[in-house]
Amino acid sequence: MRIAMDIKETPDSWYNIIPDLEFSIPPVMNPSGYPLNHHDLEYMAPYPIIDQELERKERRIAIPEEVRDIYSNWRPTPMYRAERLEKSLGTTARIYYKYEGCSPTGSHEMNTAIAQAYYAAQDKDIKCVVTATGNGEWGASLATACTYFGIKCKVYMVRSSYEEKAFGRYLMEILGAEVIASPSDKTPAGRKALARDPYSQGSLNVALSEAFNEANSRDDAKFLWGTVMNHVLLHQTVIGIEAKAQMHKAGSDPDIIICAIGGGSAFGGMVFPLYPGRKADTRIIAVEAACCPSLSRGRYAYDYGDAEGLSPMLKMYTLGHNFVPPSARAGGMRYHGLSPLVSALYREKQIEAKTYSQRQALEAAITFARVEGLVTAPETAYALAAVFDEALKCKERNERKNILFLLNASGNLDLDTFKEFIGGAMEDPASSEENINAALGQLPEISERKTG
Amino acid sequence: MRIAMDIKETPDSWYNIIPDLEFSIPPVMNPSGYPLNHHDLEYMAPYPIIDQELERKERRIAIPEEVRDIYSNWRPTPMYRAERLEKSLGTTARIYYKYEGCSPTGSHEMNTAIAQAYYAAQDKDIKCVVTATGNGEWGASLATACTYFGIKCKVYMVRSSYEEKAFGRYLMEILGAEVIASPSDKTPAGRKALARDPYSQGSLNVALSEAFNEANSRDDAKFLWGTVMNHVLLHQTVIGIEAKAQMHKAGSDPDIIICAIGGGSAFGGMVFPLYPGRKADTRIIAVEAACCPSLSRGRYAYDYGDAEGLSPMLKMYTLGHNFVPPSARAGGMRYHGLSPLVSALYREKQIEAKTYSQRQALEAAITFARVEGLVTAPETAYALAAVFDEALKCKERNERKNILFLLNASGNLDLDTFKEFIGGAMEDPASSEENINAALGQLPEISERKTG
């Protein structure tokens, strides 16, 4: 059952959660250990994005008309009640999901890609945007958004994904983006990684450093973030703003909100708008991959976003910017840290974290596909594992709760992952204690005194 | 710019064009050369589908409520005006497209898959539906629809697609369908084909014969058609019914309607509802692939739908049921015949046919992707080649015409095709005169006297 919204109900502003939090968010720091200012971020982003990154007071940030027009090409996205799934699980819970798979690239990443490409294109000095991507969802979304505004897009893509999960790469190249396998010999960070290991399969940390290197060395290019940063989560709040209205239309208030978490952009986009008006006993669950348990096993500390320490320092749950997760199929879930805003919510015990293995996640996704007729991205699979658990608990306890989860992306670019899993050939990766502790031992030193 | 419709405007009936035609449609024939009756079709389809196949008088066929509910999960589909494309071509024409890529499988095939799976599931004796597919769009749509109604789905898939364009297969298997590479050793038709050529890469004609074999040999299974037949085109008319309303909302009447044609289901679904009220000078263009020019080079004759002559005989433009098209990437365009209804419209000079090469088509699709940010299926690419030509003619003549085309499917399952094309490694297949003439020489003999 679809809970529809009219095109006129497409949100006209993004929601900034900071003014509604009862606690303060530690500032982003520059490498000298001082809170970041506009100037520190100029190399990184167009001006309006810097404003959004640093905004602390305004709850509503207006969406530019040109951006809203493009959102309206597929927004408001549908919400569905998964009645066949409820029946199949025999649960007394109602299960709702917000569906972002209907965007042009099949993923929520379009929401921020459009905004960022728009702001970049407004600045006549910017001819090219540079970014890093794992399996290509973010890169493909940015490549798509760049076609709308006629600017060039260059993407450093983790080599293992570039070679093995090539469909994300194909999509970017068809759309006209330039895609470089990382580590490459084209940047200092890439050459350093290749010197360490000439056969390196890459990691998002290194790809990010390469993209920073390139953006920093060019006057006509800016780096754009796909997740983690406040402005990215801000753009994603169109998801939760719509979801809130749709749950209201359905006459339901969510008792349990479930969302997978990698860098935190889908999670923040879904959860933040539902946060201030939630019922007192509403549970919010962030679901992590066992291969990269930033919340469950990480440390709440200042850390870099990339391998070379070229990004600002963020106070976040992190496994260390040198952490290299084991090979796993949920590209977006393999990042060492996560959004400072989501990290603060977890620190303040406003949200829970749960961890599932790849096997548990993909099994849940296969079941979902065969009941609801929809193949989700592997990221969503982790959320589904938690949804199944909570729905079955409701069944045991005969509770009629409303479970709401985010289906952040379709599985279009990941069909080979599921196929391999069905074939039984897939390992179940997990991070060793040694691996995690070694990376945590390399967290940067920073004087927290200076932040007051 | 999106021309939206409300969910409440999802069509509640399909449109049957036959009562609105000024000429008669030759009947479907059984192998004895007599017009087909209900009994002849029983092996092939559930009863309500047979009724729809043979319906001659009713214009409006009610859509069952359960089917309409599922349509409403993504219907009405959007119509867009391609303003960036207009600007990029510098054309004086307005270019609109109806977009079916937002269905769960990214293709228009869902429209009939749902209806057919629904009718099959209503019959308690039917436990399984059997079909044949090329690159997997139709098979994946039927597999998806079967999850909604809890019936099994078995698909004979052309071996070359099964092996090389495996993403369609993956999708079907993830959804729980059984997929068999054709020719197989499991059916008489498959064994016959393998005896002729043990290394056969298959063709849709043979895969269809195999699916007929299986459905005929089982009491609990029915064969379902993905295109060609009247009932399939009927189900697809939701596209054109919506498109008509959307063009009205846009304040535009189409001057040129363009649609790619393989078996004819997307074409019929788009064009038929726009046919009776069209302006006198409206041009309707069916775009064929040069590798399989059924309208342009075929003969208007009774022919079988499959290699072994197990299907009824259809009066259609055909290249002969033994025609084996050269390898090409537009799976749905490689069929030897096409819908009797579309064939009759062409015979009566109500529509035009145009042929484009694979290179022309894919080049147009790449241009479209880089301007509009959307990768289409290769089928749509052929339509785009014609759209570009017509838009440029308008530019030359300074005419402000309204061009409407169907974007029948996204390119999700075909990214490798475009990637290979960009890489320059792709040949441009064409059918030789010898190949076509040889197949036309094997058309079945039938006494047309008996049809009156």
Side-chain angles (χ1 to χ4, degrees):
Chain A
M1 190 187 71
R2 170 172 164 196
I3 300 141
M5 285 174 81
D6 192 87
I7 187 172
K8 293 188 199 77
E9 296 174 279
T10 304
D12 57 11
S13 60
W14 293 300
Y15 168 66
N16 177 19
I17 193 175
I18 297 176
D20 284 327
L21 295 176
E22 306 84 359
F23 45 89
S24 63
I25 302 291
V28 182
M29 306 280 267
N30 67 27
S32 326
Y34 286 95
L36 216 63
N37 59 31
H38 271 72
H39 178 73
D40 291 319
L41 284 168
E42 272 173 22
Y43 76 92
M44 188 173 97
Y47 284 105
I49 292 183
I50 302 175
D51 286 339
Q52 291 170 0
E53 182 60 34
L54 300 175
E55 178 60 52
R56 295 291 189 212
K57 292 186 185 143
E58 294 298 328
R59 278 184 180 77
R60 291 163 55 97
I61 312 288
I63 300 174
E65 202 174 328
E66 295 90 329
V67 173
R68 187 168 179 258
D69 278 352
I70 295 177
Y71 279 167
S72 299
N73 279 344
W74 63 93
R75 304 205 72 88
T77 60
M79 176 177 285
Y80 295 104
R81 183 166 164 199
E83 289 166 302
R84 288 190 300 277
L85 179 62
E86 291 171 14
K87 202 173 159 191
S88 147
L89 294 172
T91 182
T92 42
R94 292 188 193 87
I95 303 175
Y96 297 90
Y97 62 96
K98 176 70 170 169
Y99 181 61
E100 291 291 306
C102 53
S103 87
T105 55
S107 125
H108 74 284
E109 320 257 13
M110 285 302 302
N111 298 324
T112 187
I114 294 163
Q116 294 195 58
Y118 166 76
Y119 289 125
Q122 294 299 101
D123 183 335
K124 294 302 167 210
D125 293 337
I126 304 178
K127 304 293 178 213
C128 177
V129 295
V130 186
T131 198
T133 200
N135 77 342
E137 263 178 19
W138 159 243
S141 293
L142 189 59
T144 300
C146 285
T147 68
Y148 300 159
F149 302 108
I151 51 173
K152 283 193 190 299
C153 180
K154 188 162 178 179
V155 183
Y156 286 86
M157 183 173 193
V158 176
R159 184 174 294 276
S160 58
S161 298
Y162 181 92
E163 287 170 358
E164 286 167 30
K165 297 191 51 60
F167 273 50
R169 166 163 69 100
Y170 291 177
L171 185 48
M172 290 185 270
E173 290 176 341
I174 294 164
L175 290 161
E178 184 181 356
V179 187
I180 314 279
S182 168
S184 77
D185 60 3
K186 300 189 192 321
T187 68
R191 287 190 290 269
K192 202 166 153 187
L194 288 172
R196 279 195 305 268
D197 174 7
Y199 304 104
S200 168
Q201 285 302 293
S203 70
L204 195 51
N205 310 8
V206 171
L208 281 164
S209 295
E210 290 209 78
F212 283 128
N213 278 158
E214 167 142 7
N216 289 348
S217 71
R218 289 175 60 171
D219 286 336
D220 65 343
K222 295 280 184 192
F223 174 87
L224 298 181
W225 284 93
T227 182
V228 176
M229 303 299 280
N230 293 1
H231 65 274
V232 180
L233 276 69
L234 179 78
H235 301 153
Q236 293 294 356
T237 57
V238 290
I239 302 172
I241 292 169
E242 291 174 8
K244 189 172 184 173
Q246 284 163 314
M247 286 303 281
H248 187 72
K249 275 176 204 250
S252 282
D253 229 349
D255 298 297
I256 306 173
I257 304 169
I258 296 174
C259 191
I261 192 157
S265 76
F267 183 92
M270 174 72 163
V271 165
F272 291 176
L274 291 156
Y275 182 81
R278 73 196 184 286
K279 294 189 288 192
D281 59 351
T282 300
R283 291 172 59 205
I284 301 174
I285 303 174
V287 188
E288 306 194 285
C291 71
C292 201
S294 312
L295 283 176
S296 316
R297 289 280 295 108
R299 193 172 297 164
Y300 189 53
Y302 273 101
D303 195 8
Y304 296 109
D306 68 310
E308 291 300 310
L310 301 172
S311 82
M313 272 185 288
L314 308 166
K315 185 79 178 263
M316 61 183 176
Y317 281 87
T318 175
L319 294 166
H321 65 282
N322 290 317
F323 178 72
V324 177
S327 170
R329 298 316 184 90
M333 314 273 287
R334 292 179 72 236
Y335 188 63
H336 66 282
L338 53 85
S339 148
L341 291 175
V342 177
S343 293
L345 282 175
Y346 184 66
R347 177 69 164 191
E348 299 289 333
K349 300 192 193 315
Q350 301 298 307
I351 62 173
E352 304 167 35
K354 280 192 151 195
T355 305
Y356 288 90
S357 73
Q358 179 165 283
R359 179 172 302 279
Q360 291 171 311
L362 297 184
E363 269 170 12
I366 299 283
T367 302
F368 184 81
R370 292 181 178 181
V371 172
E372 290 287 327
L374 204 56
V375 183
T376 70
E379 286 82 346
T380 304
Y382 288 86
L384 280 168
V387 168
F388 282 32
D389 270 358
E390 295 299 329
L392 291 173
K393 271 187 225 161
C394 288
K395 179 184 179 180
E396 277 170 29
R397 299 172 189 161
N398 200 28
E399 288 175 340
R400 181 137 195 188
K401 291 196 168 162
N402 297 317
I403 300 174
L404 170 63
F405 76 94
L406 176 62
L407 202 168
N408 71 294
S410 82
N412 289 339
L413 300 181
D414 293 280
L415 295 176
D416 52 347
T417 296
F418 289 104
K419 171 62 183 168
E420 195 184 322
F421 180 72
I422 293 174
M426 196 179 286
E427 306 217 334
D428 202 6
S431 283
S432 67
E433 290 295 309
E434 292 86 340
N435 191 9
I436 290 174
N437 290 334
L440 286 176
Q442 295 173 53
L443 283 174
E445 285 181 37
I446 183 172
S447 162
E448 296 204 25
R449 279 177 292 116
K450 291 178 179 164
T451 71
Chain B
M1 190 188 68
R2 171 173 163 195
I3 300 141
M5 285 175 81
D6 193 87
I7 186 173
K8 293 188 199 76
E9 296 174 277
T10 304
D12 57 9
S13 61
W14 293 299
Y15 168 67
N16 177 18
I17 194 174
I18 297 176
D20 284 328
L21 295 176
E22 305 84 359
F23 44 88
S24 63
I25 301 292
V28 182
M29 306 280 267
N30 67 27
S32 324
Y34 286 95
L36 215 63
N37 60 31
H38 272 71
H39 179 73
D40 292 318
L41 283 167
E42 272 173 22
Y43 75 93
M44 188 174 98
Y47 284 105
I49 292 181
I50 302 175
D51 286 340
Q52 292 169 2
E53 182 60 35
L54 300 176
E55 178 60 51
R56 293 291 194 232
K57 291 183 184 148
E58 295 297 327
R59 278 183 179 78
R60 291 162 55 96
I61 312 288
I63 300 174
E65 201 174 328
E66 294 89 331
V67 173
R68 186 169 180 258
D69 278 352
I70 296 178
Y71 279 166
S72 299
N73 279 343
W74 64 92
R75 305 206 71 88
T77 59
M79 176 177 285
Y80 295 104
R81 182 165 164 202
E83 289 165 303
R84 288 191 300 278
L85 179 62
E86 291 171 13
K87 202 171 158 192
S88 146
L89 293 172
T91 181
T92 42
R94 291 190 194 86
I95 303 175
Y96 297 89
Y97 63 97
K98 176 70 170 167
Y99 181 61
E100 292 291 306
C102 54
S103 87
T105 54
S107 122
H108 74 284
E109 319 255 12
M110 286 303 301
N111 298 323
T112 187
I114 294 163
Q116 294 195 58
Y118 166 77
Y119 289 123
Q122 294 299 103
D123 184 335
K124 294 303 168 207
D125 293 336
I126 303 178
K127 304 293 179 212
C128 177
V129 295
V130 186
T131 197
T133 199
N135 77 343
E137 262 177 20
W138 159 243
S141 294
L142 189 59
T144 300
C146 285
T147 69
Y148 301 160
F149 301 107
I151 51 173
K152 283 192 191 300
C153 180
K154 189 162 178 179
V155 184
Y156 286 87
M157 183 173 194
V158 176
R159 184 174 294 276
S160 59
S161 298
Y162 181 92
E163 287 170 358
E164 286 168 30
K165 297 192 48 63
F167 274 50
R169 166 163 69 99
Y170 291 177
L171 185 48
M172 289 185 270
E173 290 178 342
I174 295 165
L175 291 161
E178 185 182 356
V179 187
I180 314 278
S182 169
S184 77
D185 60 3
K186 299 189 192 320
T187 67
R191 287 189 290 269
K192 201 165 156 187
L194 287 173
R196 278 195 305 268
D197 174 7
Y199 303 105
S200 168
Q201 286 302 293
S203 70
L204 195 52
N205 310 8
V206 171
L208 282 164
S209 295
E210 290 209 78
F212 282 128
N213 278 158
E214 167 142 6
N216 290 349
S217 69
R218 291 175 60 171
D219 286 337
D220 65 343
K222 295 281 185 193
F223 174 87
L224 299 180
W225 284 93
T227 184
V228 176
M229 303 298 280
N230 293 2
H231 64 275
V232 180
L233 276 68
L234 178 77
H235 301 153
Q236 294 294 356
T237 57
V238 289
I239 302 172
I241 292 168
E242 291 174 8
K244 190 171 183 172
Q246 285 163 314
M247 288 302 282
H248 188 72
K249 274 177 205 250
S252 282
D253 230 350
D255 298 296
I256 306 174
I257 304 170
I258 296 174
C259 193
I261 192 158
S265 77
F267 183 92
M270 174 74 164
V271 165
F272 290 176
L274 291 156
Y275 181 81
R278 73 197 183 286
K279 292 188 288 191
D281 58 351
T282 300
R283 293 172 57 206
I284 301 174
I285 303 174
V287 188
E288 307 194 285
C291 70
C292 200
S294 312
L295 283 175
S296 316
R297 289 282 294 107
R299 192 171 299 163
Y300 189 53
Y302 273 100
D303 195 10
Y304 296 109
D306 67 311
E308 291 300 310
L310 301 172
S311 81
M313 273 186 287
L314 308 165
K315 185 81 177 262
M316 59 184 179
Y317 281 88
T318 176
L319 294 165
H321 64 283
N322 289 317
F323 178 71
V324 177
S327 169
R329 299 316 184 90
M333 314 271 290
R334 292 178 71 235
Y335 188 63
H336 66 281
L338 53 85
S339 148
L341 291 174
V342 177
S343 293
L345 282 175
Y346 184 66
R347 177 69 165 190
E348 298 290 334
K349 302 192 192 316
Q350 300 298 307
I351 62 174
E352 305 168 34
K354 281 194 149 194
T355 304
Y356 288 90
S357 73
Q358 178 165 282
R359 178 172 304 278
Q360 291 171 312
L362 297 183
E363 268 170 11
I366 299 283
T367 302
F368 184 80
R370 293 180 178 181
V371 172
E372 290 288 326
L374 204 56
V375 183
T376 70
E379 286 82 347
T380 303
Y382 288 86
L384 280 168
V387 168
F388 283 31
D389 270 359
E390 295 300 330
L392 292 174
K393 270 187 226 161
C394 288
K395 179 184 178 178
E396 278 169 29
R397 297 171 191 164
N398 199 27
E399 287 175 340
R400 181 140 194 182
K401 290 198 169 161
N402 298 317
I403 300 174
L404 169 63
F405 76 94
L406 176 62
L407 202 167
N408 71 296
S410 82
N412 289 338
L413 300 180
D414 294 281
L415 295 176
D416 52 349
T417 296
F418 289 104
K419 171 62 184 169
E420 195 184 322
F421 180 71
I422 292 174
M426 195 180 288
E427 306 215 336
D428 202 7
S431 284
S432 68
E433 290 295 309
E434 291 87 339
N435 190 10
I436 291 174
N437 290 334
L440 287 176
Q442 295 173 55
L443 283 174
E445 284 182 35
I446 182 170
S447 160
E448 296 204 25
R449 282 176 287 114
K450 293 177 180 168
T451 69

